[in-house]
Amino acid sequence: MHNEAEYAPVALPKLFAQLEAVDADVAVLAVENGSTDGTADTIRALADRFPALDVMELPEPDYGAAMRTGFLAAGSDWVVNFDIDYFSGDFLTTALGHAGTADLILGSKRAPGSSDERSMFRRFATWGFNLLLRFVLGSKVSDTHGMKAIHKRVIEAVGRDVVSTTDLFDTELVIRAERAGFVIVEVPVVVREERESKSRLWKRIPRTLRGIWRIRRMLAAGETAGRSRPV
């Protein structure tokens, strides 16, 4: 969460209302990163209403670093990441239904049965991004961004190896889990923008392209080192 002091009091009650229907003990960790509008104080003020809510603060604005911090700090068997404006209790219930057979459950905007209500441009961008992942990184999943449930064994195995921050932390995490042989299940989701996106997609394209290429070089170097390591 970054500079969400105004939106957090709207979104978090909606999130907890959806979590009430989930048959599980759930704790919510809000990872505030580099906010200048008092977001962390706003979240703490809401904790009186929602005892399961906690907050961590990071000094710099970095979406990927916030995700890494939350994943590594969570002490539960399963960790689920939601954005402040994109969450679903139904996804969590569906993910828990796969908990006995999967290591990572992706809420895929491109899975059969999904309903993506975003603009055509953003849907096209998602298609193009995942096409790049298939050709450049050999990924077989249809979506790496968005809601996902991850077992702690995946975090322990590959979470600390992820070096990408900003936009591509979750992409690299999923790719590493995929290459490590973890069982990944993709489930359909309903994608509905609760508000206009705060980030400008076209500004992220050059950074994303550089990041994907960097991941490719890094993973290739790791595989080469593994093949040359004495047994």
Side-chain angles (χ1 to χ4, degrees):
M1 299 173 65
H2 173 70
N3 284 343
E4 298 288 7
E6 182 177 347
Y7 192 64
V10 176
L12 286 172
K14 291 182 179 179
L15 170 62
F16 277 98
Q18 293 200 32
L19 294 180
E20 287 180 0
V22 178
D23 186 19
D25 293 327
V26 180
V28 176
L29 176 61
V31 187
E32 181 277 317
N33 56 110
S35 297
T36 58
D37 66 347
T39 294
D41 290 335
T42 300
I43 300 168
R44 278 191 285 267
L46 291 167
D48 290 339
R49 292 175 57 190
F50 306 110
L53 175 63
D54 199 0
V55 61
M56 297 184 69
E57 297 179 71
L58 300 181
E60 301 293 333
D62 190 318
Y63 176 76
M67 292 183 67
R68 177 204 302 275
T69 299
F71 286 154
L72 295 177
S76 54
D77 288 341
W78 285 91
V79 184
V80 177
N81 82 273
F82 290 145
D83 290 341
I84 184 67
D85 52 2
Y86 181 40
F87 49 80
S88 168
D90 288 340
F91 166 76
L92 182 49
T93 296
T94 300
L96 290 173
H98 292 278
T101 56
D103 302 303
L104 197 161
I105 299 101
L106 302 176
S108 173
K109 296 180 286 292
R110 302 183 63 243
S114 288
S115 175
D116 191 345
E117 300 177 11
R118 299 174 303 158
S119 68
M120 183 177 296
F121 176 67
R122 294 184 74 83
R123 295 198 304 270
F124 178 78
T126 295
W127 173 82
F129 176 76
N130 285 282
L131 191 65
L132 273 175
L133 295 185
R134 288 178 178 271
F135 279 101
V136 178
L137 297 176
S139 175
K140 292 181 173 60
V141 301
S142 67
D143 196 0
T144 60
H145 277 62
M147 300 181 292
K148 57 182 68 64
I150 309 169
H151 196 276
K152 66 179 181 181
R153 56 180 165 262
V154 179
I155 304 296
E156 292 169 352
V158 302
R160 297 185 186 278
D161 296 330
V162 179
V163 299
S164 299
T165 55
T166 57
D167 310 315
L168 292 178
F169 173 85
D170 47 355
T171 294
E172 184 183 338
L173 178 68
V174 171
I175 297 298
R176 285 184 178 276
E178 189 177 15
R179 293 191 174 203
F182 287 105
V183 178
I184 299 176
V185 173
E186 297 187 83
V187 299
V189 291
V190 175
V191 186
R192 182 180 299 113
E193 292 182 325
E194 297 292 335
R195 60 175 178 175
E196 183 179 352
S197 176
K198 294 176 66 177
S199 63
R200 293 291 174 259
L201 190 60
W202 63 270
K203 289 185 176 180
R204 289 161 38 196
I205 291 175
R207 183 173 69 222
T208 297
L209 293 175
R210 291 193 300 269
I212 291 174
W213 189 251
R214 183 171 60 249
I215 292 172
R216 182 182 186 277
R217 294 201 317 268
M218 181 174 49
L219 294 177
E223 289 172 357
T224 301
R227 287 195 296 268
S228 62
R229 187 180 300 121
V231 178

